Amino acid sequence: MKNARSHRLAAAAVALLMLAAQALGCTQTDPGQTGSPDPSTLVLPTPTPQVVPLSGGELTMYMLRNAMSADPLDVNTEEVLSLYSLVCESLVELDESGMLAPCLSSAWQRSETDANTWIFTLRDNVTWHSGEAFTAADVASTVELIRERGADCYFYPYIEDIISCSYDAGEPYTLRITFAHSGLSAVKKLVFPIVKTDSLEGESPIGTGPYAVVSVSDESVRLDANDAWWRRAPYITTVRYLVRDSEEIALNSLSAGQLNFMPTSVLYSGSYREEGRLNVMDVLTQNMEVLLFNRDSGPLRSVDVRRAIAFSIDRSQIISYVYMNKAHECDVPIAPDSYAYDGSYKVYDYNRNQAIVLFDAAGYSDTDGDGKLENVSTGTELTLRLLVNTVRENTIRVDAARYIADQLAEIGVTVEIVEAEYEADGGGEYARMLRDGEFDIALMGVNTPRYLDLRAVLSSDGELNYGGYASQEMDELVDALYLAQDDAQVRSAAALLMEKFTDELPFMVMYFRMNSIIYTDQLMGLNAARKPDILRNIENWYMYAE
């Protein structure tokens, strides 16, 4: 194919030259003749110049006031998490599909003598921003520091499975980590930042990443490109975080041109798209919206009722009118862009006729013609309490609940919406009602881990299993997915779990939420992004100015 293409290009070039020669031959006459065209004015087609990335430019983002910490392990907002993803690096990364990718570790393999132990080969050309060499000792000291800080540390769940982290002083670039189990998920958790622990008392943290902190004030944080980075110095030379009091104020700053890059969860992000000035890119998140089914509620014990409800809900309508298309339909608790996801398990598209058939099979029909389903044995109308949390600044989940109630009413199910207050720390009346099972169905958001640990929502004793679903087979499938030892086993275990999930429908996965990135039209190279690692591959971004 390559040779054929080369021949075609060569033939086209020859033809172009022949046409040019013919043009010259036809127009060239006696130079003294009046009005004779000058061959030097003949214009030949020229190729469009290729844009070559150049170093320079500044990326300006925002962070919330009082959020900055000089300690990369002490993060409390997504903005600070993204900032430190530029300063510090991890042993491994997860790519856009959730597969392992190298970072500070160039290679890893399972020990031949112990399935729970992995041997990591660290890069020997990595230096801290201070110029000192990065070694296995830095990884071990970071793990120990996180362990000392305990469960209050944001990154503690990432090291819970680590039993020991050891190295030989004579081999500073070889690291042995022994985990509590042999699953690949343990390695996928090694995405926490490796820090220079003896520098954490200073004013600015020291990392190995593509950018280094050069100044911190009450109004901004400035990062400059690390010219000594082991990969390649980023094209964009400066990243600046400007302090703002809220996301709303930050959006105003974006409109005023004070920011040129802004991740946001607002649903109206599309309104900021402006030709020749601002672009908007939607990015998938790990935030899964689910409709819980309370197994202690009589009707919901029937799988036919649960499946009928799923077929009764038109999620595309909710996504369009409530979420402004900032959500992605999915029927299983695995993100649709994961390498473990299988689209053949997308089965619960809106189907009114199928819903009626299933309700009838479960013993619910409109026996008296009043448009409402009744239990054919008792004559009792099918009525469900839908619990939903209320947040003063954000009524989106309440709006979604109203659509669900209306859609179920169309098929004959009466829905009573129960609104309860939710508090940011996980408390409030809503959380209490979930724990106490005071609902028939409930809307809830779940932030699912990328290392495919579904025990919290699907295991019989899962901490988020508020619906009371219990299945020994599902417990085994969830454990098998978490403990799968390689990517092939992950895919196989995920397929079995998705099949079981769609058959039994312990809860209904509504959709995975999408956020947005609003960025300047001059920013190039941003072809794809995904939460939580929206700045991954930033070294390939560049600013283009005509």
Side-chain angles (χ1 to χ4, degrees):
M1 291 297 292
K2 181 178 180 182
N3 289 337
R5 184 173 181 270
S6 300
H7 288 319
R8 289 197 298 271
L9 292 174
V14 171
L16 183 61
L17 290 173
M18 291 179 64
L19 287 172
Q22 291 173 5
L24 287 170
C26 292
T27 59
Q28 189 170 15
T29 59
D30 184 353
Q33 182 178 345
T34 304
S36 298
D38 183 355
S40 65
T41 63
L42 185 65
V43 179
L44 296 177
T46 57
T48 303
Q50 184 177 2
V51 177
V52 178
L54 298 175
S55 296
E58 179 175 288
L59 201 67
T60 52
M61 293 184 271
Y62 92 100
M63 63 185 300
L64 292 174
R65 191 173 299 280
N66 300 325
M68 180 59 185
S69 167
D71 186 344
L73 300 180
D74 183 25
V75 297
N76 52 5
T77 69
E78 290 186 359
E79 294 77 28
V80 176
L81 192 64
S82 73
L83 185 155
Y84 282 127
S85 74
L86 301 179
V87 177
C88 298
E89 298 174 285
S90 51
L91 269 184
V92 297
E93 295 179 337
L94 298 182
D95 67 13
E96 286 75 11
S97 70
M99 295 189 73
L100 280 166
C103 192
L104 290 177
S105 173
S106 60
W108 50 91
Q109 62 182 6
R110 196 185 299 272
S111 169
E112 295 180 357
T113 58
D114 181 8
N116 290 15
T117 298
W118 291 74
I119 302 169
F120 295 82
T121 301
L122 308 186
R123 300 183 188 275
D124 59 6
N125 61 336
V126 178
T127 58
W128 295 99
H129 296 153
S130 56
E132 300 166 84
F134 159 80
T135 68
D138 297 307
V139 182
S141 61
T142 298
V143 171
E144 186 57 32
L145 180 59
I146 295 175
R147 194 185 308 279
E148 289 176 1
R149 295 187 177 183
D152 290 338
C153 179
Y154 177 86
F155 295 103
Y156 185 77
Y158 295 85
I159 63 103
E160 276 186 306
D161 290 336
I162 296 178
I163 300 298
S164 66
C165 184
S166 61
Y167 60 94
D168 189 322
E171 296 182 354
Y173 301 107
T174 300
L175 183 71
R176 295 176 64 88
I177 301 181
T178 299
F179 299 98
H181 60 83
S182 59
L184 190 63
S185 58
V187 182
K188 289 183 177 181
K189 288 184 177 184
L190 302 178
V191 293
F192 54 87
I194 307 301
V195 300
K196 198 171 189 304
T197 55
D198 59 5
S199 71
L200 294 182
E201 299 301 323
E203 294 183 359
S204 298
I206 296 174
T208 62
Y211 289 88
V213 178
V214 295
S215 67
V216 179
S217 71
D218 292 339
E219 300 302 324
S220 69
V221 177
R222 174 177 167 173
L223 312 179
D224 281 355
N226 177 13
D227 293 332
W229 193 36
W230 58 271
R231 285 182 176 171
R232 170 185 51 75
Y235 295 118
I236 297 175
T237 53
T238 301
V239 176
R240 193 184 304 272
Y241 284 78
L242 302 181
V243 174
R244 295 294 182 265
D245 290 326
S246 67
E247 184 177 21
E248 181 180 1
I249 292 175
L251 286 166
N252 292 334
S253 296
L254 179 78
S255 297
Q258 297 170 351
L259 306 177
N260 60 19
F261 184 93
M262 182 170 172
T264 180
S265 60
V266 298
L267 299 179
Y268 51 88
S269 59
S271 63
Y272 288 89
R273 184 178 284 108
E274 184 178 340
E275 185 69 27
R277 182 169 177 263
L278 291 174
N279 294 320
V280 179
M281 174 188 290
D282 292 335
V283 296
L284 194 66
T285 75
Q286 290 295 116
N287 296 327
M288 176 178 69
E289 294 283 321
V290 304
L291 184 65
L292 294 177
F293 299 134
N294 189 346
R295 295 294 285 266
D296 288 335
S297 171
L300 279 307
R301 294 178 189 145
S302 167
V303 66
D304 285 334
V305 169
R306 300 195 298 270
R307 298 181 70 204
I309 289 174
F311 280 120
S312 301
I313 297 175
D314 186 350
R315 288 173 291 177
S316 62
Q317 185 185 63
I318 298 173
I319 290 173
S320 177
Y321 292 111
V322 177
Y323 288 90
M324 299 184 185
N325 295 317
K326 304 297 184 187
H328 194 300
E329 275 190 53
C330 191
D331 283 358
V332 293
I334 297 176
D337 65 342
S338 169
Y339 77 98
Y341 174 78
D342 186 339
S344 63
Y345 295 102
K346 178 72 170 62
V347 296
Y348 288 106
D349 291 331
Y350 174 65
N351 189 326
R352 178 185 174 90
N353 292 332
Q354 185 65 23
I356 292 174
V357 169
L358 287 167
F359 274 125
D360 186 68
Y364 293 92
S365 299
D366 182 10
T367 56
D368 55 9
D370 64 351
K372 296 183 179 181
L373 297 178
E374 296 91 24
N375 185 309
V376 295
S377 299
T378 65
T380 305
E381 290 184 357
L382 180 55
T383 301
L384 301 175
R385 295 169 299 163
L386 170 52
L387 176 64
V388 61
N389 65 292
T390 56
V391 180
R392 189 172 303 171
E393 316 76 50
N394 190 349
T395 63
I396 184 170
R397 203 167 278 152
V398 174
D399 294 338
R402 290 169 181 161
Y403 268 87
I404 291 171
D406 290 344
Q407 291 171 356
L408 289 175
E410 289 178 3
I411 213 160
V413 180
T414 300
V415 175
E416 299 174 357
I417 297 177
V418 179
E419 299 181 21
E421 186 176 352
Y422 173 78
E423 296 178 3
D425 60 358
E429 185 68 3
Y430 171 78
R432 185 200 63 76
M433 294 181 73
L434 277 180
R435 290 192 300 268
D436 293 346
E438 295 181 11
F439 65 92
D440 296 310
I441 54 179
L443 275 176
M444 182 179 76
V446 179
N447 188 21
T448 59
R450 297 196 73 195
Y451 45 85
L452 300 177
D453 183 2
L454 299 177
R455 292 175 297 179
V457 291
L458 278 177
S459 292
S460 299
D461 58 353
E463 59 185 277
L464 300 180
N465 183 8
Y466 297 116
Y469 172 73
S471 164
Q472 181 177 347
E473 183 182 354
M474 182 63 81
D475 288 347
E476 293 171 354
L477 290 172
V478 168
D479 288 342
L481 177 59
Y482 184 66
L483 299 175
Q485 295 193 6
D486 55 41
D487 291 323
Q489 286 189 16
V490 168
R491 289 189 177 96
S492 177
L496 292 173
L497 186 146
M498 288 185 283
E499 181 180 17
K500 176 72 172 178
F501 184 90
T502 51
D503 282 347
E504 288 201 356
L505 209 64
F507 53 83
M508 180 183 179
V509 177
M510 298 286 288
Y511 24 70
F512 277 78
R513 297 284 301 273
M514 299 182 76
N515 287 356
S516 301
I517 298 173
I518 310 172
Y519 62 98
T520 178
D521 192 59
Q522 293 181 329
L523 179 60
M524 302 291 177
L526 182 56
N527 298 320
R530 197 206 190 283
K531 288 193 67 178
D533 305 317
I534 59 170
L535 300 181
R536 188 171 182 268
N537 299 321
I538 191 175
E539 68 271 19
N540 297 322
W541 303 356
Y542 61 97
M543 292 294 185
Y544 172 71
E546 297 183 359

